[in-house]
Amino acid sequence: MPRGKFITLEGVEGVGKSTNLQFVTDWLRKQGVAFVQTREPGGTPLAEQLRELLLSKREEVVDPTAELLMVFAARAQHLAQVIMPALERGDWVICDRFTDATYAYQGGGRQLDRSLIALLEQTVQGDLRPDRILLLDLDPDVGLQRAARTGAADRFESEQLAFFQRVRAAYRERAAADPSRYAVIDASRPLEEVQQQLQSELEKLIL
Ligand code: TMP
């Protein structure tokens, strides 16, 4: 049984991740691809509890290393319970964010040492990396205005613009360093064009 493909969707708040994720899963369903849709942080009961802890606003200042370790704790559980079993039985995994978000938010946003992230990545994931990372790229100034319209801000959404600029820069830097793995999609373009590009990326994976 060949391993399923592991696809992740990434981007700063307000890039249209949910709408485009829906498009991706609808398209895969039409093609008859068996897949599991999941998200990070989260994807299992324990990892979803860690997500709540990570996203909830609190008086206490959250130490960036504590945040990083919680993200990887959730990821270890998610990999063991959901991602690895799905890939091994030949299903695709479509994941709303994965370790690129850690490089972007904890590395770029919180300015943690990338080599520490790389060490945890290797420890938790071994050699597993996404086959394709769909990066929705948008000026965070525009993204945050869009995100502000969709309810109360969580702990990350309450960060300042400069934080999201660092997040975006970190995403783009990673994509530029490994163009064979990343598809950078300009999310400022009309939705129809964004989805055309997503579809052509998915077509390449099916062939
Ligand atoms: P989202 O489900 O709306 O994308 O929210 C998840 C939040 O968690 C988002 O603000 C990014 C953040 N996050 C990290 O900081 N590091 C990570 O590794 C992941 C997966 C998410």
Side-chain angles (χ1 to χ4, degrees):
M1 171 69 75
R3 235 190 197 188
K5 297 256 190 317
F6 183 23
I7 315 296
T8 63
L9 199 68
E10 298 279 359
V12 180
E13 271 68 12
V15 290
K17 215 155 39 68
S18 312
T19 311
N20 287 305
L21 193 63
Q22 184 71 50
F23 173 82
V24 167
T25 53
D26 286 348
W27 190 85
L28 289 173
R29 218 169 273 122
K30 272 192 236 143
Q31 308 306 309
V33 173
F35 67 89
V36 169
Q37 180 185 348
T38 186
R39 69 171 181 182
E40 287 217 343
T44 85
L46 172 60
E48 288 290 334
Q49 284 189 343
L50 287 165
R51 177 190 177 90
E52 272 180 45
L53 292 175
L54 278 160
L55 266 54
S56 56
K57 284 170 114 176
R58 55 189 72 239
E59 293 286 309
E60 184 182 0
V61 174
V62 179
D63 177 75
T65 306
E67 183 179 286
L68 175 69
L69 293 172
M70 283 169 73
V71 161
F72 271 107
R75 183 160 299 138
Q77 186 69 9
H78 191 206
L79 279 163
Q81 296 292 316
V82 176
I83 298 179
M84 291 311 296
L87 295 175
E88 276 161 16
R89 62 176 183 263
D91 286 356
W92 289 30
V93 172
I94 312 303
C95 195
D96 182 349
R97 299 192 188 279
F98 193 64
T99 306
D100 283 280
T102 312
Y103 281 101
Y105 284 78
Q106 282 66 48
R110 305 271 188 239
Q111 298 176 293
L112 282 176
D113 186 354
R114 313 290 161 101
S115 61
L116 173 60
I117 301 175
L119 179 67
L120 291 168
E121 178 182 39
Q122 196 59 38
T123 306
V124 167
Q125 296 167 220
D127 291 333
L128 180 78
R129 301 289 179 276
D131 294 296
R132 198 83 178 139
I133 298 141
L134 306 169
L135 173 60
L136 294 164
D137 181 52
L138 182 68
D139 180 347
D141 212 359
V142 178
L144 290 179
Q145 283 175 33
R146 284 194 198 167
R149 286 186 232 123
T150 58
D154 64 30
R155 198 169 59 82
F156 289 99
E157 288 162 350
S158 308
E159 289 294 336
Q160 300 298 308
L161 181 60
F163 175 89
F164 294 103
Q165 280 163 341
R166 291 196 300 274
V167 170
R168 183 197 196 192
Y171 269 135
R172 286 164 63 107
E173 206 177 289
R174 285 181 64 72
D178 189 1
S180 64
R181 202 187 287 276
Y182 292 80
V184 182
I185 295 153
D186 179 354
S188 71
R189 286 168 33 212
L191 187 59
E192 204 171 284
E193 284 177 38
V194 168
Q195 295 186 340
Q196 262 167 18
Q197 198 181 338
L198 283 171
Q199 182 172 326
S200 76
E201 291 301 332
L202 296 169
E203 279 165 352
K204 284 186 225 160
L205 291 166
I206 281 192
L207 294 176

